[in-house]
Amino acid sequence: MYNTTIGTDIEKAKALLAAGELVAIPTETVYGLAANGFNEAAIAKIYAAKNRPQFNPLILHVANVEQAEKLVTEIPDACKRLMQSFSPGPITYLLPKSSLVPDLVTAGSSRVAIRIPNHPMALDLLSRLDFPLAAPSANPSGYVSPVSADHVMQGLHGKIPYILDGGSCSVGLESTIVGFENDTVVIHRLGGITAEQIRLVSGTEVRTALSHAAPTAPGQLKSHYATSKPLLIGDVEPLINAFEGKKIGLLMFEHSAGIAVEKEILLSPSGSLEESASGLFRAMRLLDQSDLDVIIAQRFPDTGIGRAINDRLERAAYRGD
Ligand code: TXA
Ligand code: MG
């Protein structure tokens, strides 16, 4: 057990990481649970602290493209174009790994996931290190990802020594994950960079192949980002009627449902999908911690980052196995 503390001391974070300890770090997407990506004993601590299945590989975070180049054997031209436009930023590249990358990071795969996060504190820390940071989202496996230092504390207190506090995450959804296959960019997870944005600069065909099953496929298990209360997504009016007499929490885009319920959150009264994405996980946690029986979410416009919002809501709603 650790006495987990929250602070802004980058040198302290560096010293802990160099000593093989875990540190939660801010990024523009969600908080990450970081370890020295070259140290297998430190990486093993990530799986233990999160209670994460070992077949689910980890993203390596670096400060710049030069650091990334050492971790891979090849960067396709389409990837270089994406890097130029979107990195640092909320996008992760699956690339053939070099021998420097431990198998524990990739769960045995020949591809490694690489990301340059766009957060001043994360970049400052990464540029002081001579190793990459292996980091999944800093939540217990399966729960909603954290977008503040307090969220990390709620899920991981006692399990890690230090949380680097970089404020609220601006993007609020995890990075988009892309791979490269025969002149095609394949989107494996929807996230902070939209398919439309990728299409504009990749110069290739762009295909979406979201995966729901592990261990063979990248991406994530279908049931994920789950609140502990049941969450339903769809047409809100019939859903509300179906739960008559229950305490209902509503998660809406820009307009109120206009029906009296226990609690209602409008993610963006001005109609911005970006603002909605940025507030989504905080709102899901807030409703989950309120005295409610069920959470009902409307489906968002299926365009831009709205697709990633719907993806997260659907995964949170999924209760199968
Ligand atoms: O925005 C983000 O990507 C955040 C921040 C902290 O960078 N990280 C994040 O990590 O969301 P995580 O572990 O929660 O999700 C990463 C996903 C996992 O579903 C994993 O299966 C996939 O990336 N992944 C990682 N390495 C992979 C690889 N070598 N091949 C295929 N999928 C991989
Ligand atoms: Mg995660």
Side-chain angles (χ1 to χ4, degrees):
M1 284 288 278
Y2 293 94
N3 173 25
T4 310
T5 58
I6 298 181
T8 57
D9 186 343
I10 294 177
E11 275 303 309
K12 176 174 175 169
K14 173 183 170 177
L16 284 165
L17 290 162
E21 297 287 348
L22 303 184
V23 175
I25 61 163
T27 84
E28 80 282 28
T29 58
V30 301
Y31 274 71
L33 179 59
N36 176 346
F38 289 156
N39 178 336
E40 300 216 25
I43 296 161
K45 290 182 186 174
I46 293 179
Y47 289 98
K50 274 184 66 95
N51 201 6
R52 178 179 174 109
Q54 293 241 358
F55 55 71
N56 199 359
L58 303 171
I59 297 173
L60 286 184
H61 298 73
V62 292
N64 51 52
V65 175
E66 292 67 49
Q67 288 184 356
E69 279 168 347
K70 301 197 181 92
L71 304 174
V72 304
T73 56
E74 194 210 331
I75 302 182
D77 287 342
C79 182
K80 285 182 189 151
R81 288 192 287 273
L82 296 183
M83 284 174 156
Q84 227 162 23
S85 295
F86 304 128
S87 291
I91 184 165
T92 295
Y93 310 100
L94 296 178
L95 294 165
K97 82 178 196 73
S98 78
S99 57
L100 280 178
V101 177
D103 285 332
L104 197 52
V105 166
T106 62
S109 166
S110 61
R111 285 195 301 181
V112 60
I114 304 278
R115 181 161 111 78
I116 306 173
N118 190 17
H119 187 290
M121 215 174 219
L123 285 172
D124 187 348
L125 172 64
L126 285 166
S127 64
R128 297 185 201 196
L129 303 176
D130 54 9
F131 49 82
L133 289 178
S137 50
N139 50 286
S141 190
Y143 195 65
V144 183
S145 296
V147 293
S148 75
D150 285 343
H151 293 166
V152 179
M153 187 64 111
Q154 282 165 27
L156 296 177
H157 63 86
K159 300 198 163 160
I160 59 174
Y162 196 53
I163 301 169
L164 199 55
D165 187 354
S168 281
C169 303
S170 56
V171 175
L173 293 184
E174 296 83 354
S175 60
T176 301
I177 299 180
V178 294
F180 305 89
E181 290 167 24
N182 318 314
D183 244 15
T184 301
V185 174
V186 182
I187 301 178
H188 293 286
R189 178 174 75 181
L190 300 168
I193 299 291
T194 66
E196 291 89 333
Q197 287 175 289
I198 290 172
R199 211 160 263 127
L200 278 178
V201 303
S202 75
T204 65
E205 206 180 298
V206 177
R207 180 159 68 78
T208 302
L210 305 183
S211 42
H212 303 300
T216 46
Q220 61 286 83
L221 302 165
K222 190 166 182 181
S223 168
H224 217 96
Y225 312 99
T227 47
S228 42
K229 295 196 168 69
L231 184 150
L232 294 106
I233 171 172
D235 284 340
V236 294
E237 205 179 315
L239 284 172
I240 292 170
N241 291 335
F243 285 91
E244 215 195 311
K246 300 281 186 198
K247 291 182 188 154
I248 297 172
L250 271 186
L251 196 49
M252 302 295 291
F253 177 29
E254 49 180 333
H255 302 299
S256 167
I259 304 173
V261 290
E262 203 73 20
K263 203 176 181 82
E264 179 175 27
I265 295 179
L266 298 189
L267 283 175
S268 177
S270 66
S272 154
L273 289 173
E274 285 72 23
E275 186 183 24
S276 300
S278 150
L280 178 69
F281 286 162
R282 183 179 296 280
M284 282 168 65
R285 280 172 180 263
L286 206 127
L287 293 174
D288 206 22
Q289 286 158 14
S290 304
D291 179 23
L292 301 168
D293 298 313
V294 63
I295 301 166
I296 294 172
Q298 85 166 88
R299 198 174 296 281
F300 280 66
D302 223 19
T303 170
I305 205 165
R307 287 182 65 204
I309 294 174
N310 286 332
D311 172 82
R312 300 306 188 272
L313 288 171
E314 273 155 19
R315 288 176 198 276
Y318 185 75
R319 300 284 148 162
D321 48 18

